[in-house]
């Protein structure tokens, strides 16, 4: 069953209107026509089975047949991932896998050892949001992961997220707790060169929990993916 995305303002009483990008994919790539049945999710966790009514140049009108359960249910863990930006396509991989692993919100971080040009940020964020949308379609999630604008590490320290914030470090940390009653967590993952001493001290001052996962050495993108999976297994629904 083909899946499409429509924001809540594209929903009307019994009718959904797909915009130009989704229409082009429906018409030109998938070759769907009036009468075909598709699924549409709203990015907030709801999904609907619909029937195509009309397809025009820049929009498609669908009739809602019924609301259905998404094929991939949302985790009970409200997980935010804050990850240092990486060069090339490495951060693209983090975005894609974070969606698949049920992350709700992603903060791209600029840290002391981040080696990414700021002038490229706008284009990269647009690409990351497109990757997140495609990953949601493919993984069956009806919730669209939020990708924030890149933020300096120092500024991130003062952003209230609610629930514990765990900063993962290759040094100066404790073990991950076996259990937690919190259903909202923030995981912070550093850059390829690791955290600077000043950044670790600032995290401790901000009340972050510092955790070290043994002595295993991982690439930054691997660490972000592995940590998301570990937290979903330990505290969420990946078990």
């Amino acid at each position: 069953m083909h899946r499409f995305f429509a924001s809540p303002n594209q929903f009307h009483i019994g009718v959904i209107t797909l915009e130009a990008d989704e229409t082009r994919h429906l018409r030109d790539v998938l070759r769907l026509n009036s009468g075909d049945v598709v699924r549409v999710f709203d990015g907030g966790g709801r999904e609907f089975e619909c029937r195509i009514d009309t397809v025009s140049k820049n929009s498609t009108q669908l009739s809602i047949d019924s609301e259905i359960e998404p094929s991939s249910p949302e985790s009970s863990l409200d997980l935010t991932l804050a990850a240092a930006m990486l060069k090339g396509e490495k951060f693209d991989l983090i975005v894609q896998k974070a969606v698949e692993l049920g992350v709700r919100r992603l903060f791209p971080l600029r840290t002391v050892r981040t080696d990414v040009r700021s002038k490229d940020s706008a284009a990269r964020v647009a690409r990351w949001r497109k990757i997140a949308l495609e990953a949601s379609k493919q993984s069956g999630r009806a919730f669209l992961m939020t990708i924030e604008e890149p933020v300096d590490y120092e500024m991130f320290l003062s952003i209230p997220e609610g629930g514990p914030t765990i900063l993962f470090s290759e040094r100066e940390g404790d073990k991950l707790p076996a259990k937690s009653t919190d259903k909202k967590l923030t995981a912070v993952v550093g850059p390829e060169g690791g955290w600077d001493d000043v950044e670790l001290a600032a995290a401790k001052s901000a009340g972050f929990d510092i955790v070290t996962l043994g002595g295993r050495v991982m690439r930054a993108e691997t660490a972000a993916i592995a940590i998301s999976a570990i937290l979903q297994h330990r505290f969420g629904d990946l078990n």
Side-chain angles (χ1 to χ4, degrees):
M1 183 68 69
H2 299 295
R3 301 179 77 233
F4 297 89
F5 167 71
S7 59
N9 61 8
Q10 295 168 240
F11 283 71
H12 308 284
I13 299 176
V15 174
I16 301 172
T17 302
L18 299 183
E19 294 184 342
D21 287 346
E22 294 290 76
T23 293
R24 281 192 291 271
H25 185 66
L26 178 149
R27 182 190 61 230
D28 301 335
V29 178
L30 300 176
R31 305 287 185 180
L32 299 178
N33 298 295
S34 298
D36 289 335
V37 177
V38 298
R39 293 182 177 181
V40 179
F41 66 99
D42 68 354
R46 301 180 72 188
E47 187 157 344
F48 302 84
E49 187 166 279
C50 306
R51 195 171 303 275
I52 299 173
D53 288 337
T54 58
V55 182
S56 62
K57 182 178 180 180
N58 293 312
S59 66
T60 299
Q61 185 166 301
L62 312 170
S63 294
I64 299 174
D65 288 342
S66 62
E67 183 170 357
I68 59 175
E69 288 293 324
S71 57
S72 180
E74 284 299 306
S75 172
S76 58
L77 178 65
D78 187 345
L79 178 59
T80 294
L81 175 64
M85 291 190 292
L86 305 173
K87 282 184 176 181
E89 297 179 353
K90 295 176 182 178
F91 205 84
D92 296 359
L93 181 65
I94 292 177
V95 171
Q96 183 187 67
K97 300 311 174 186
V99 171
E100 295 175 13
L101 289 166
V103 173
R104 298 281 185 91
R105 192 178 184 191
L106 176 63
F107 280 92
L109 296 181
R110 287 187 290 260
T111 68
V112 169
R113 294 172 181 161
T114 296
D115 189 16
V116 176
R117 292 180 298 179
S118 297
K119 69 178 184 179
D120 296 335
S121 293
R124 296 191 79 193
V125 170
R127 184 172 75 250
W128 294 334
R129 288 172 179 164
K130 185 175 181 179
I131 290 170
L133 175 58
E134 292 304 316
S136 293
K137 290 180 182 179
Q138 294 167 3
S139 65
R141 285 187 75 181
F143 185 92
L144 191 59
M145 182 179 76
T146 300
I147 300 180
E148 302 291 347
E149 296 290 329
V151 61
D152 291 335
Y153 173 80
E154 294 82 0
M155 185 175 294
F156 174 79
L157 293 175
S158 63
I159 297 175
E161 278 297 293
T165 296
I166 304 173
L167 184 139
F168 290 84
S169 174
E170 71 283 1
R171 56 194 170 86
E172 299 186 26
D174 298 317
K175 291 183 178 180
L176 187 67
K179 294 182 180 180
S180 174
T181 58
D182 294 287
K183 282 301 178 183
K184 186 175 178 64
L185 292 175
T186 298
V188 187
V189 184
E192 292 172 319
W195 295 108
D196 184 84
D197 290 341
V198 173
E199 291 173 327
L200 285 177
K204 292 176 182 177
S205 297
F208 290 8
D209 298 317
I210 311 296
V211 167
T212 300
L213 297 176
R216 195 172 302 278
V217 178
M218 292 181 279
R219 296 173 67 96
E221 65 271 28
T222 304
I225 296 165
I227 286 165
S228 298
I230 289 168
L231 293 176
Q232 287 289 18
H233 172 69
R234 185 72 62 89
F235 309 121
D237 64 346
L238 194 62
N239 49 47

